Amino acid sequence: MKAVDFNRVFEQNAASNDGCFRLIARPSKSNAHRVGMAISKKVHRNAVERNRIKRIVRESFRQWRTSRAAKSGHPLDIVVLARPTA
């Protein structure tokens, strides 16, 4: 996702929160589900740990995308914001 896509998702969205992540979603203009991530140094100072979180999020997204729930709905742009507890 590009910066313009991130900004569009932040403008009007539906959000979900838990202790580790905040998910923000909006219907996509493209014909496929897309995911973007924002994992800051506040989450973890070590880049290796931030990249590990990104890999886990990407794999979870891939599994969700192939599930029936993802196939039944309209394409979404999803932004994942990690919290320090992640």
Side-chain angles (χ1 to χ4, degrees):
M1 288 177 56
K2 297 179 183 176
V4 175
D5 299 326
F6 272 89
N7 291 335
R8 195 173 65 80
V9 172
F10 283 117
E11 288 173 3
Q12 292 180 344
N13 60 56
S16 174
N17 297 302
D18 70 5
C20 296
F21 297 100
R22 175 177 170 90
L23 298 177
I24 302 171
R26 180 178 177 163
S28 178
K29 289 185 177 180
S30 70
N31 56 356
H33 296 293
R34 300 185 301 175
V35 67
M37 289 174 272
I39 315 292
S40 71
K41 285 187 179 179
K42 290 180 182 179
V43 173
H44 202 287
R45 287 302 224 187
N46 191 345
V48 173
E49 293 299 322
R50 291 193 308 272
N51 290 335
R52 181 175 183 268
I53 293 169
K54 290 177 188 180
R55 285 193 304 272
I56 292 169
V57 169
R58 274 191 218 104
E59 184 58 30
S60 296
F61 176 74
R62 285 185 196 112
Q63 290 177 1
W64 173 81
R65 188 175 54 192
T66 59
S67 70
R68 299 181 88 183
K71 291 180 181 179
S72 64
H74 297 288
L76 295 174
D77 285 340
I78 301 169
V79 175
V80 178
L81 305 170
R83 295 193 171 148
T85 56

